[in-house]
Amino acid sequence: MKRLRPMFKKLEGIFLKEIPDNDVQEIKYMTEYQVNYYEMVVIDRRIPLSVRDALDCVDFVILHERDPRCYEYWPRMAVLFKGAMDYLKANTGIWEDPIFGQGMYEMKEIKPRYEFKQRILRGHAERLGFVVV
């Protein structure tokens, strides 16, 4: 490995390229990006909506509905929740609104699902040129 290190140093300039500042966009809050993503999926239907995406949207809304830092997003999240629940009621056996802390909506059930989807969305944002702060 020590012999390869000088070669990698010489090739570093070829493989690494600088991204211009005007190509890098900044997302101030990951919550903002997630709300925009779920609006694109659930409301605008620019990406075909699946049951998994609808459940992920419901998980996101349930985890953030009581967060005072997300107060400005609450009206948009209410619309997202309604759209996702309407889709779930039409396409699955779910017939009532989920209650936080019960069944599959307990914190220990929601948190791993949400963190997995958040990692995917963070990677998606970074691929699009966003810098997640």
Side-chain angles (χ1 to χ4, degrees):
M1 189 65 185
K2 288 184 179 181
R3 292 180 186 168
L4 294 176
R5 192 167 292 152
M7 186 173 64
F8 285 134
K9 285 288 186 188
K10 290 179 183 175
L11 295 175
E12 183 177 44
I14 297 171
F15 295 123
L16 295 177
K17 67 176 188 174
E18 285 291 321
I19 300 173
D21 290 338
N22 56 359
D23 288 347
V24 175
Q25 301 169 353
E26 184 176 333
I27 298 177
K28 294 190 171 129
Y29 302 106
M30 189 63 189
T31 306
E32 176 184 350
Y33 181 78
Q34 288 176 314
V35 168
N36 290 336
Y37 172 80
Y38 286 123
E39 282 179 344
M40 180 181 68
V41 173
V42 175
I43 297 170
D44 300 337
R45 302 279 174 106
R46 284 191 253 160
I47 299 172
L49 181 61
S50 66
V51 172
R52 181 75 256 160
D53 286 333
L55 284 172
D56 289 338
C57 180
V58 170
D59 289 345
F60 166 72
V61 171
I62 287 177
L63 281 175
H64 288 85
E65 70 181 350
R66 291 179 173 87
D67 190 356
R69 294 174 293 174
C70 301
Y71 180 73
E72 63 192 63
Y73 303 112
W74 285 354
R76 293 166 63 189
M77 286 195 286
V79 173
L80 286 175
F81 182 78
K82 182 174 178 357
M85 284 309 299
D86 288 346
Y87 182 83
L88 289 173
K89 287 176 184 176
N91 295 300
T92 64
I94 296 174
W95 54 274
E96 63 181 12
D97 289 342
I99 299 170
F100 182 69
Q102 294 183 6
M104 65 184 273
Y105 294 100
E106 289 183 63
M107 181 60 85
K108 67 179 181 182
E109 298 287 329
I110 293 176
K111 200 70 169 169
R113 291 191 310 242
Y114 170 72
E115 288 173 353
F116 178 72
K117 184 64 174 191
Q118 187 179 28
R119 281 189 304 215
I120 292 171
L121 290 178
R122 185 177 297 272
H124 183 256
E126 290 171 354
R127 269 196 318 272
L128 292 176
F130 290 101
V131 175
V132 180
V133 178

